[in-house]
Amino acid sequence: MHSRGSSNRLSNSGGTGFHSRISALVLAMFATMATIYVAGRMWQDAENRVYLIHELDRRTGQGNSAIFVDDTLKVIACREQQKKLSALEMDLAAARQEGFVSKEHLENDGTRSKKRLLAVIGIITTFGRKKNRNAIRKAWMQSGVALKKLEEEKGIVVRFVIGRSANRGDSLDREIDNEHSQTNDSIVLNHVEALEERSKKIKFFFVHAVESWDAEFYVKVNDDVYINIDALGATLSAHLDKPRVYMGCMKSGEVFSEPTHKWYEPDWWKFGDAKS
């Protein structure tokens, strides 16, 4: 009895050990396979990351090159257009010096002069200054046939420049209209006469003069200035070969920046301080 029980215990002990070794082997195999799988995925992910980085660098590099080339082409095109524009401006200036005018000038309805003038002079005047205007007519401007002769022989057009009354059609407007009908030497602008609007009035005169006459120079003077026409013509003629000539007194005396001052200059800051 004793020997049989001992034999059974040995048999049971051997079976248990065998199953334990099988389980350990299976676990080891699963662990090895899991390690290989994880390592493979990590390696694959690393390869994918490297590929994506290289592809991004490649495409980004191409994009920068394309932008750089595109910008360069734009700069080259702008420079070429600028050269062509400069050449056209030089040709136009040379043609004007030789007396050529545009087709628009030649086919105009008569409001512009067909012959290029030396100068158009605008005498800035206002209401209540008829005595000044008459004095200028007698002194240097001339009138009637003499005024027309000045334009034809010396290429100089002279006109008084005045606006309209704030009360359109009143006695001030009628007085100017009657004077102009007799002398035919005024430009009556569609602009309200006012001291504070004087700068705007002068701008309107220049616009009207450029639209009405083709001249080398456009001149503005006040109705208390007496001009030596011959001397002015000689001075202007001496500058015909210079493009974009601007002549005159840029500033004389103080420039007033106070809005309440009688001679307030809205653009006073362009001329320095009041005393310089």
Side-chain angles (χ1 to χ4, degrees):
M1 291 290 294
H2 176 73
S3 60
R4 186 180 298 135
S6 176
S7 176
N8 288 337
R9 283 194 298 269
L10 289 174
S11 176
N12 291 337
S13 175
T16 302
F18 176 77
H19 287 296
S20 297
R21 286 194 295 273
I22 293 295
S23 299
L25 181 60
V26 171
L27 289 174
M29 290 177 63
F30 277 112
T32 302
M33 292 176 65
T35 301
I36 294 172
Y37 174 77
V38 172
R41 288 300 303 270
M42 292 180 65
W43 180 262
Q44 185 178 8
D45 289 344
E47 286 185 334
N48 289 338
R49 284 196 296 269
V50 171
Y51 171 77
L52 291 175
I53 290 173
H54 286 306
E55 188 68 14
L56 181 62
D57 289 341
R58 184 180 66 83
R59 296 190 180 186
T60 304
Q62 286 183 349
N64 289 337
S65 299
I67 294 173
F68 177 78
V69 171
D70 187 58
D71 289 344
T72 302
L73 292 175
K74 288 181 180 179
V75 171
I76 294 174
C78 289
R79 288 177 178 174
E80 291 297 326
Q81 292 296 328
Q82 188 174 7
K83 290 179 181 179
K84 292 180 181 179
L85 180 60
S86 299
L88 289 174
E89 289 180 346
M90 293 176 64
D91 292 342
L92 179 60
R96 284 179 174 175
Q97 290 297 325
E98 295 177 6
F100 290 96
V101 295
S102 67
K103 184 178 180 181
E104 176 188 356
H105 296 165
L106 296 175
E107 297 179 353
N108 200 275
D109 58 1
T111 58
R112 295 185 69 103
S113 299
K114 294 183 179 180
K115 180 181 178 181
R116 190 171 182 80
L117 300 167
L118 176 62
V120 176
I121 302 175
I123 307 171
I124 308 301
T125 187
T126 187
F127 301 123
R129 305 279 288 184
K130 186 175 181 179
K131 290 183 178 180
N132 290 59
R133 292 192 289 274
N134 286 336
I136 289 176
R137 290 185 181 107
K138 292 179 181 179
W140 61 270
M141 178 180 173
Q142 306 302 320
S143 60
V145 176
L147 183 63
K148 187 67 175 178
K149 186 177 180 180
L150 177 65
E151 177 180 336
E152 293 176 350
E153 294 184 356
K154 297 185 178 181
I156 298 177
V157 171
V158 186
R159 296 289 187 274
F160 289 107
V161 181
I162 194 168
R164 288 294 187 182
S165 171
N167 301 314
R168 296 296 178 92
D170 63 5
S171 59
L172 295 176
D173 276 351
R174 291 195 299 271
E175 181 182 346
I176 291 299
D177 290 338
N178 291 334
E179 181 181 343
H180 178 60
S181 66
Q182 296 173 11
T183 60
N184 195 28
D185 60 2
S186 300
I187 298 172
V188 183
L189 299 172
N190 187 24
H191 168 74
V192 176
E193 277 291 328
L195 183 61
E196 62 273 14
E197 297 290 330
R198 187 178 179 86
S199 298
K200 187 180 293 184
K201 172 184 173 180
I202 294 172
K203 292 178 183 178
F204 286 159
F205 156 66
F206 282 122
V207 171
H208 176 85
V210 171
E211 291 178 346
S212 302
W213 294 282
D214 179 35
E216 298 286 352
F217 298 96
Y218 298 90
V219 183
K220 167 263 172 187
V221 298
N222 294 331
D223 63 0
D224 56 358
V225 175
Y226 290 78
I227 294 178
N228 184 326
I229 286 290
D230 293 332
L232 176 63
T235 300
L236 296 178
S237 297
H239 295 277
L240 286 174
D241 59 339
K242 302 174 183 176
R244 302 181 182 88
V245 175
Y246 186 94
M247 295 185 290
C249 181
M250 297 297 295
K251 187 184 80 167
S252 177
E254 296 185 16
V255 178
F256 299 97
S257 59
E258 299 81 11
T260 57
H261 196 280
K262 179 180 180 180
W263 304 115
Y264 167 63
E265 172 54 62
D267 293 331
W268 60 267
W269 52 273
K270 297 180 180 179
F271 302 91
D273 59 43
K275 301 297 182 182
S276 63

